[in-house]
């Protein structure tokens, strides 16, 4: 029968499309520890949920012999499916077809799923394995990249965008992931750079390997371009599934609540002893975070970059929250250029997608030095200040220990419209630490004392007086800058109660096209 013949033709074409560039090239991917484009989508999405678009689309180029190399689907697999029952749109570049290089047709496929995601208000996940623009197509390929970038920009702050780099991502291809909210790379096979090692060698004379120029560890530890690193593709895809669980579908929805069997009034007695007697001694802030969040589960973002500040997602009484916390275990918890960038980016993401922000403060100041000043620490610190001041989501700040000077101001202080500010009894809120303050306040008197022992006793006395005045939260509390001083072991209960009270919060910024954040 004719219909049976037509159905068989369809099935044959589907089988051909699913092979991409052919079984031999798929086997080559497997040999490198990489999966095919479709295998990645199937691992990411709920079983049987994927609905594909444009399986039979092909490129239209006849130059350079491409008319003899036609592959159904042309180098990218696109469509939609679900993650834990929630709708997401996906595209997965296929390295078996022209090395994943972007053609005009591929760009149209990617733009179609992005447009559809915007219409229905669902996240977009891009799996990148792309050698850059398809050279044989010239300006059409470049135009395709730009069409994608414009959609990344339009979607920013409207729907969550996540990029997984599972192979090369070079040249113009790097800009789409850079415009998305989160970038994940794998340790072995992924890299990102604008210009490769050969170009670097030609232009600058610098001899550098692919890994050292743009590998996963470089972008997770040094540049901060990537927020996550995974050992394997399987682990990376599972991390994306976890991440999606904290996020709303779009900027008009609230983040999804999770079941919670962890009592909100659970007391953590260990927190009453966690702060060292010596205020210059470090401790690990992550221990405080895991003590107060649901079931001790914290999904850290940018874990290997700027470790002096911690950011990530958790649940508190089932409610997704964004955690921002200084970490005295690294660089004494000071803010530097990278920590400021990291914190600001995360705060702005949470604000864009209605995720409450919980800030834990122990910051002695900004990192001093010419390297920081020449690098623009003023502008970078202002990004964090701007992000907190701009944010209209519920904001709860707990000052754990030090909160000095300019660094106090940029870490969710009361004057940046933070809704509720708590402090532990160990909190120290002042312009600067005792040693620096006394040097300024008593400098002339100190210089006038010639006896070394007498000078040391005078300085010690004055520093103690300063500590008694400012090495506690009560001076700030008497002005209303701190709403309450709380017992450390009750932090979980007090923060959750605050978030409950703020569930119906409404706040806004003045009407404007957009602000001019200090980039």
């Amino acid at each position: 029968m004719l219909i049976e013949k037509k159905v068989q033709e369809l099935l044959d074409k589907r089988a051909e499309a699913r092979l991409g560039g052919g079984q031999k090239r798929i086997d080559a991917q497997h040999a490198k520890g990489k999966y095919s484009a479709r295998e990645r989508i199937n691992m990411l999405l709920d079983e049987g949920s994927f609905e594909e678009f444009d399986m039979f689309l092909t490129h239209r180029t006849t130059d350079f012999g491409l008319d003899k190399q036609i592959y159904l689907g042309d180098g990218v697999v696109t469509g939609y499916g679900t993650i834990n029952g929630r709708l997401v749109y996906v595209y997965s570049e296929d390295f078996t077809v022209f090395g994943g290089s972007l053609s005009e047709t591929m760009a149209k496929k990617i733009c179609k799923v992005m447009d559809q995601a915007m219409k229905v208000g669902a996240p977009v996940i891009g799996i990148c394995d792309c050698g850059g623009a398809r050279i044989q197509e010239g300006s059409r390929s470049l135009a395709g990249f730009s069409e994608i970038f414009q959609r990344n920009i339009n979607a920013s702050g409207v729907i969550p965008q996540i990029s997984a780099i599972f192979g090369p991502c070079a040249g113009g291809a790097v800009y789409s992931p850079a415009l998305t909210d989160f970038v994940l790379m794998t340790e072995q096979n992924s890299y990102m750079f604008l210009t490769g090692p050969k170009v670097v060698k030609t232009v600058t004379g610098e001899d550098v390997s692919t890994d050292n120029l743009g590998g996963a560890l470089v972008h997770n530890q040094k540049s901060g371009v990537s927020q996550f690193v995974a050992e394997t593709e399987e682990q990376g895809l599972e991390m994306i599934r976890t991440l999606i669980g904290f996020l709303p579908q779009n900027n008009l929805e609230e983040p999804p609540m999770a079941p919670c069997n962890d009592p909100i009034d659970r007391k953590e007695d260990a927190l009453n002893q966690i702060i060292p007697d010596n205020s210059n001694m470090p401790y690990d802030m992550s221990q405080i975070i895991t003590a107060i969040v649901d079931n001790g589960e914290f999904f850290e973002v940018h874990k290997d970059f700027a470790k002096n500040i911690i950011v990530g997602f958790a649940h508190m009484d089932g409610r997704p929250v964004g955690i921002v916390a200084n970490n005295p275990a690294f660089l004494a918890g000071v803010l530097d250029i990278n920590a400021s960038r990291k914190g600001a980016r995360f705060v702005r993401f949470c604000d864009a997608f209605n995720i409450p922000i919980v800030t834990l403060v122990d910051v002695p100041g900004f990192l001093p030095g010419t390297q920081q000043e020449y690098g623009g620490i003023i502008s970078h610190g202002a990004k964090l200040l701007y992000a907190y001041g701009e944010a209209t989501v519920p904001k709860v700040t707990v000052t754990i220990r030090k909160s000095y000077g300019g660094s106090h101001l940029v870490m969710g202080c009361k004057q940046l419209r933070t809704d509720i500010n708590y402090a532990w009894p160990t909190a120290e809120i002042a312009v600067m630490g005792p040693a620096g303050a006394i040097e300024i306040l008593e400098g002339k008197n100190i210089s006038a004392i010639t006896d070394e022992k007498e000078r040391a006793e005078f300085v010690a006395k004055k520093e103690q007086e300063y500590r008694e005045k400012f090495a506690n939260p009560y001076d700030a509390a008497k002005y209303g800058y701190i709403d309450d001083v709380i017992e450390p072991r009750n932090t979980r209960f007090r923060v959750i109660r605050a978030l409950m009270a703020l569930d119906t919060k409404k706040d806004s910024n003045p009407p404007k096209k957009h602000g001019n954040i200090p980039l």
Side-chain angles (χ1 to χ4, degrees), residues 191-193 195-198 200-201 206-215 218:
Y191 57 85
M192 300 175 71
F193 43 63
T195 53
K198 292 181 180 178
V200 171
K201 177 70 173 176
E206 186 180 4
D207 205 350
V208 62
S209 69
T210 298
D211 276 344
N212 288 335
L213 181 62
V218 167

Side-chain angles (χ1 to χ4, degrees), residues 251-463:
N251 65 331
L252 300 180
E253 292 188 7
E254 296 299 315
M257 293 288 288
C260 179
N261 56 10
D262 192 351
I264 69 169
D265 58 353
R266 169 173 54 80
K267 292 180 172 61
E268 282 290 333
D269 292 333
L271 296 184
N272 279 15
Q273 286 86 39
I274 198 169
I275 304 299
D277 291 339
N278 183 342
S279 64
N280 292 321
M281 290 292 291
Y283 62 92
D284 190 351
M285 180 66 81
S286 63
Q287 294 179 0
I288 296 179
I289 295 171
T290 54
I292 67 174
V293 301
D294 291 355
N295 304 308
E297 295 174 356
F298 178 56
F299 187 70
E300 190 167 353
V301 176
H302 254 149
K303 183 177 182 180
D304 300 312
F305 178 67
K307 291 187 176 184
N308 38 324
I309 196 168
I310 299 171
V311 302
F313 298 106
H315 291 101
M316 299 196 77
D317 192 33
R319 181 183 290 98
V321 296
I323 305 281
V324 182
N326 311 110
N327 192 3
F330 293 90
L331 291 177
V334 298
L335 288 171
D336 59 2
I337 289 171
N338 287 342
S340 299
R341 289 170 48 213
K342 173 179 170 178
R345 178 183 174 93
F346 185 75
V347 167
R348 297 195 90 207
F349 175 83
C350 290
D351 185 52
F353 290 103
N354 309 314
I355 300 170
I357 299 165
V358 176
T359 306
L360 305 177
V361 181
D362 190 346
V363 59
F366 282 91
L367 183 64
T370 55
Q371 185 178 7
Q372 291 291 306
E373 296 294 349
Y374 295 170
I377 183 61
I378 295 171
S379 294
H380 292 291
K383 291 175 185 175
L384 187 54
L385 177 71
Y386 191 108
Y388 269 110
E390 181 187 41
T392 59
V393 292
K395 294 180 286 188
V396 179
T397 295
V398 183
T399 302
I400 306 297
R401 189 170 64 174
K402 297 176 183 177
S403 187
Y404 291 158
S407 60
H408 161 76
L409 304 176
V410 307
M411 284 298 299
C413 68
K414 176 62 74 176
Q415 292 71 31
L416 295 183
R417 298 192 299 180
T418 296
D419 302 290
I420 297 180
N421 291 68
Y422 290 137
W424 283 11
T426 48
E428 306 172 17
I429 302 171
V431 175
M432 61 179 64
I438 295 308
E439 188 176 330
I440 293 172
L441 296 172
E442 301 287 349
K444 289 184 178 179
N445 294 332
I446 293 171
S447 300
I449 302 173
T450 56
D451 183 79
E452 190 173 324
K453 182 180 178 183
E454 186 179 342
R455 187 189 306 122
E457 289 175 349
F458 177 81
V459 169
K461 178 186 175 184
K462 291 298 179 181
E463 285 185 5

